[in-house]
Amino acid sequence: MSRTRRLVRVRGVVQGVGFRPFVYRLATDLDLAGEVGNDGDGVFADVEGEPGQVQAFLDRLCRDSPVLAQVDEVTAAEAPVRDAAGFHIVATRGGTATTVPLPVDTGPCDDCVAELDDPSDRRYRHPFINCTNCGPRYTIIRSLPYDRPTTTMAGFLMCRACASEYADPGDRRFHAQPVACPDCGPRTTLLDPDATVLARDEDALQGTVQRLRDGAIVAVKGVGGYHLACDATSAIAVGELRRRKSRDDKPFAILVSDIAAAARLAHLGPAATAALASPARPIVLAPRREDADVDAAVAPGLVDVGLMLPPSPLHVLIARGVGRPLVLTSANLAHEPMVHDDAVAMATVAPLVDALLVHDRPIAVRCDDSVFRQVDDGGLAAIRRSRGHAPRRIPVPSSHDVTLAVGGHLKNTVTLVRGGEAVISQHVGDLDHPAALGAFHQAIDHLLAALDVTPTLVAHDLHPGYASTHAAQALGLPTVAVQHHHAHVAATLAEHGRRGPVLGIAFDGLGLGPEGGLWGGEFLVADLDSSRRVGHLVDVPQPGGDAAAREPWRMALAWLEASMGRARAEEEARRLDAEGLDARGLDVLAVSRAAITPTTSSVGRLFDAVAALLGVCHTNTYEGQAAVRLEAAAEMATSRADPDRDLPDGVVDVDGPVATLDARPLVSTIVQARDRGEGPSVVAARFHRDLARATAELACVLAARADLSTVVLGGGVFQNRLLTGQVTQRLRRSGLEVLVPRMVPCNDGGLSLGQAVVAGAAASGR
Ligand code: ZN
Ligand code: ZN
Ligand code: FE
């Protein structure tokens, strides 16, 4: 019978994910001869056999590839038949595989969980069980090539049983770098806060489970850092955790053992369900069920609850052992990044907890939990891309090599673009604190080392005061400053593989405009190269600068004075003063009028003002609190909302050279409704609808003027699913295409991606 031979090349995420054993099994199944191996470009295979079988091989190569693989390209070149016999996995060719993308951290696969549960398996209840289809990756890699000695598993000498699985192409653990078992792998230890060893291994697990059941707070060392855990059904435990961790109201995520348990706590659509169970094991925010058995203090004043399935086998054992929903929240001091270092944990986390469950596999790089939110159409929107998603690549419309973008100041991430692909780093956080700055530099170093590249261009925010801007300028490379809201719009464009031009709507808390203005409610005609401001929210004073972002009542007074005049604002200030502001209300109004006080067009600050005017939130204990609580209040009212109505006169003004969205008439009607005794929920819902309507009406006019048919949303305000849903619906009804951020966070976590593609477009001067 005639034979045929093909030289096959596979590119993408194909190393460290079990691709060679997969090819080996596939080829052997189909009676093909030849070989398979890794090289600097991915995986190569030389296959020879009956033509139909070779075709079947090529067909199944993509279709049946391992779960963690991401096949970008398969090529097959014809070659002369050699009549070879047998199929082999051959040694890696061409030294290190440096252009090959890295795999991400992955929750336990079904096969590993089955072994975890099997008393006859040698890895029964082993908290570090993993295989080529699952386990830690990005957080254990110290340098390239990705091989056991360059990971934090280097210190663990494989036992004979593990070594033979590791070497066996037919085994699920063939070349699984973190392979381990109870005889040779990492071990858990339960510690007292003073570092006294309480128990080890299975006893440590049992001790942890018992303590959590008894209401204790336990620090747990996870995949990308330490968490604090406690019984989420216990008001005492949750209250105590809040008291010890900080005084804020930041929502806690909940760890549940499985989907059924998650579905008992929240209304989950198919996308949320799939995401929860996905290998990345993110936190998914979805509306809490009325009868959910978790304490209300888990997420004060919010509609959503954040859920997570066990991100590692250790968490599987804890969640099942306790048998109740558990709070699992990042361990950190206020405003500092999540703790991932053992010594730091003993110094800073131990004093907060009753015990620590630790293990001896070091975490090479910190990686917070990823967060997605269930949105109106049942889909999901990224709030934070981190563990399980970093450093996954996304294709982008940028050809410039190699651009590093350093992000903004809050919710920082960094992005590297090369070869038409972007790699967004894990979440770094707010760069206020020295520890966060350290994390920022570590994230850049880890990304550059893991990808083995040197940037030729660095993009940063226009704000000269950002720590990220300073860092970018210190690198000694050509830099490009990118305007904040242009970057937000570009991030959404990049996610959708588009270059523009479009009408961009960028609503957020704050970004510097080109002339130094405090922007945050912007309508831009933009493409990747450039942007032009064609409309904005009217400016009002931002009394106290940054303090206004922490204290929404300040913006309430500024908006009230702008909308209803001095006397009405002073009356409100006196009322607030009497309620405990100690004369600061009148002081702030004086500041608000001062000529040196900057004005802002920020929609985020408008949300703050409305939340404070309605008594929903006067002080932010975490970023965006007033806005999320206002949205939650509105969501509680949507079922009994009053019918659509026309906007008050003058809200949309398109007469000037730059159009404005004037929210003053909206603020007046809000205060009037409040004073008539209407409940905050109904008024909040009406505010969302009016703002959405005004935004859409203005956008329609501006798009038509610029002859554009596509509108792009960006900026942290669009985390608000109510506003985003309504704006999108209205624009689509008007016949416009709307691009909404989904995979990439609309908040400043996506800023670095936008910066990178804008800088790349500028540099390549297309
Ligand atoms: Zn596995
Ligand atoms: Zn072993
Ligand atoms: Fe922003």
Side-chain angles (χ1 to χ4, degrees):
M1 189 191 294
S2 78
R3 282 162 76 89
T4 179
R5 180 172 163 227
R6 292 281 186 280
L7 301 177
V8 181
R9 166 148 301 290
V10 190
R11 292 191 182 86
V13 182
V14 289
Q15 293 188 5
V17 293
F19 209 87
R20 287 173 300 165
F22 156 67
V23 171
Y24 173 88
R25 281 191 297 271
L26 187 57
T28 323
D29 270 6
L30 295 167
D31 273 331
L32 302 180
E35 58 188 35
V36 61
N38 283 341
D39 65 11
D41 219 16
V43 164
F44 64 87
D46 182 341
V47 294
E48 180 178 327
E50 194 267 309
Q53 301 289 83
V54 170
Q55 192 52 49
F57 173 86
L58 294 172
D59 292 344
R60 286 171 59 186
L61 203 56
C62 290
R63 204 183 62 214
D64 302 340
S65 66
V67 281
L68 297 186
Q70 185 185 333
V71 175
D72 294 340
E73 187 188 37
V74 177
T75 59
E78 233 171 297
V81 173
R82 295 184 303 182
D83 284 318
F87 198 87
H88 312 278
I89 294 180
V90 295
T92 297
R93 274 183 202 162
T96 61
T98 52
T99 62
V100 174
L102 291 171
V104 297
D105 298 304
T106 297
C109 71
D110 292 346
D111 290 337
C112 284
V113 171
E115 291 172 354
L116 193 67
D117 289 341
D118 178 1
S120 70
D121 193 274
R122 67 189 194 90
R123 292 188 180 87
Y124 176 57
R125 293 185 62 79
H126 179 53
F128 303 95
I129 187 169
N130 68 82
C131 71
T132 43
N133 299 323
C134 74
R137 296 290 189 275
Y138 191 56
T139 54
I140 62 167
I141 295 170
R142 291 198 199 275
S143 64
L144 284 182
Y146 172 53
D147 207 353
R148 188 155 169 124
T150 59
T151 70
T152 61
M153 286 300 291
F156 298 91
L157 191 66
M158 267 184 248
C159 69
R160 279 178 55 189
C162 284
S164 76
E165 291 168 334
Y166 182 87
D168 176 3
D171 195 277
R172 200 171 91 247
R173 296 191 167 88
F174 177 70
H175 278 222
Q177 303 306 343
V179 69
C181 77
D183 293 332
C184 68
R187 296 180 63 186
T188 49
T189 307
L190 185 64
L191 298 173
D192 235 0
D194 65 7
T196 309
V197 174
L198 297 170
R200 285 193 198 280
D201 304 325
E202 182 63 24
D203 290 344
L205 267 171
Q206 300 288 356
T208 301
V209 165
Q210 193 53 53
R211 278 168 177 75
L212 288 169
R213 291 186 68 97
D214 291 345
I217 296 167
V218 182
V220 177
K221 182 179 177 183
V223 177
Y226 279 73
H227 286 106
L228 302 179
C230 75
D231 181 350
T233 67
S234 160
I236 298 169
V238 175
E240 182 62 16
L241 175 58
R242 270 206 189 281
R243 195 185 64 75
R244 290 194 207 172
K245 199 189 174 200
S246 58
R247 283 182 202 88
D248 68 27
D249 292 333
K250 221 175 196 168
F252 293 146
I254 308 287
L255 174 72
V256 288
S257 52
D258 52 41
I259 284 290
R264 282 195 292 274
L265 300 183
H267 298 282
L268 301 172
T273 305
L276 277 169
S278 72
R281 297 287 197 279
I283 295 169
V284 174
L285 307 176
R288 171 162 43 172
R289 282 187 184 277
E290 211 121 281
D291 59 352
D293 186 18
V294 289
D295 187 65
V298 155
L302 302 183
V303 168
D304 281 356
V305 62
L307 302 175
M308 177 170 39
L309 261 48
S312 84
L314 177 65
H315 295 89
V316 171
L317 296 170
I318 295 171
R320 285 188 187 165
V322 177
R324 292 173 211 155
L326 287 169
V327 166
L328 196 70
T329 186
S330 296
N332 62 314
L333 298 178
H335 309 299
E336 289 186 26
M338 183 188 207
V339 172
H340 74 296
D341 179 89
D342 297 326
V344 174
M346 286 320 292
T348 65
V349 178
L352 306 177
V353 297
D354 302 308
L356 299 93
L357 180 66
V358 302
H359 60 75
D360 53 356
R361 186 182 71 208
I363 299 171
V365 69
R366 164 191 302 110
C367 209
D368 289 70
D369 302 314
S370 291
V371 184
F372 289 82
R373 187 176 196 204
Q374 183 169 297
V375 293
D376 268 8
D377 60 6
L380 293 179
I383 303 288
R384 186 204 285 159
R385 280 174 68 94
S386 208
R387 178 184 45 74
H389 289 276
R392 199 186 289 279
R393 304 154 310 138
I394 55 174
V396 292
S398 179
S399 47
H400 188 80
D401 275 359
V402 173
T403 313
L404 171 70
V406 296
H409 192 68
L410 301 176
K411 297 184 167 68
N412 180 274
T413 62
V414 298
T415 290
L416 202 96
V417 169
R418 61 150 186 203
E421 287 175 349
V423 180
I424 307 175
S425 77
Q426 71 276 28
H427 169 79
V428 174
D430 301 350
L431 301 185
D432 290 315
H433 196 275
L437 259 186
F440 168 74
H441 287 289
Q442 194 194 16
I444 293 178
D445 293 346
H446 195 245
L447 200 59
L448 295 182
L451 297 168
D452 195 29
V453 292
T454 310
T456 56
L457 185 67
V458 183
H460 60 81
D461 194 272
L462 202 55
H463 199 304
Y466 284 178
S468 53
T469 301
H470 295 162
Q473 288 162 345
L475 287 171
L477 294 162
T479 57
V480 179
V482 180
Q483 200 277 323
H484 193 96
H485 302 96
H486 185 199
H488 274 312
V489 172
T492 309
L493 277 173
E495 171 182 340
H496 291 273
R498 302 276 286 269
R499 307 189 62 104
V502 293
L503 182 77
I505 308 177
F507 286 178
D508 67 355
L510 167 69
L512 205 61
E515 269 93 48
L518 306 184
W519 285 15
E522 311 309 316
F523 295 78
L524 309 170
V525 169
D527 56 16
L528 294 188
D529 284 293
S530 64
S531 78
R532 179 166 57 89
R533 191 191 210 195
V534 292
H536 63 88
L537 181 69
V538 289
D539 282 83
V540 297
Q542 180 167 331
D546 287 350
R550 291 189 297 274
E551 300 182 319
W553 60 267
R554 289 171 182 259
M555 290 310 299
L557 292 177
W559 269 104
L560 191 58
E561 176 149 308
S563 309
M564 302 178 83
R566 184 166 185 151
R568 188 66 188 76
E570 285 178 356
E571 187 189 317
E572 181 86 4
R574 273 192 292 273
R575 194 178 64 79
L576 289 173
D577 286 347
E579 282 173 12
L581 273 183
D582 295 332
R584 289 169 69 210
L586 286 170
D587 286 352
V588 161
L589 268 181
V591 169
S592 186
R593 290 176 200 126
I596 58 157
T597 294
T599 61
T600 181
S601 57
S602 165
V603 175
R605 296 292 83 79
L606 172 63
F607 268 86
D608 284 355
V610 174
L613 287 169
L614 293 179
V616 170
C617 181
H618 282 285
T619 306
N620 282 337
T621 65
Y622 57 91
E623 204 219 341
Q625 180 177 0
V628 295
R629 289 182 88 147
L630 190 67
E631 184 201 11
E635 282 196 325
M636 290 171 198
T638 40
S639 53
R640 53 201 160 88
D642 45 6
D644 208 6
R645 58 179 196 135
D646 285 337
L647 291 170
D649 280 344
V651 173
V652 172
D653 180 355
V654 294
D655 292 338
V658 177
T660 53
L661 194 167
D662 188 349
R664 287 175 299 179
L666 302 184
V667 170
S668 301
T669 60
I670 285 163
V671 174
Q672 285 155 5
R674 178 196 78 178
D675 293 349
R676 276 198 308 271
E678 284 193 59
S681 283
V682 175
V683 184
R686 193 182 304 140
F687 166 68
H688 277 78
R689 213 172 36 251
D690 287 350
L691 182 64
R693 177 162 191 159
T695 302
E697 280 184 15
L698 185 51
C700 283
V701 174
L702 294 172
R705 248 184 214 177
D707 204 16
L708 299 169
S709 56
T710 302
V711 178
V712 162
L713 308 186
V717 166
F718 289 113
Q719 272 174 229
N720 185 317
R721 66 177 160 225
L722 205 52
L723 182 74
T724 306
Q726 291 176 1
V727 169
T728 305
Q729 225 176 46
R730 285 177 184 278
L731 290 170
R732 289 191 177 140
R733 244 186 272 144
S734 305
L736 291 161
E737 180 194 28
V738 187
L739 305 180
V740 180
R742 282 289 167 86
M743 307 237 309
V744 176
C746 63
N747 58 48
D748 285 6
L751 210 58
S752 59
L753 174 66
Q755 292 170 348
V757 292
V758 169
S764 52
R766 61 153 206 136

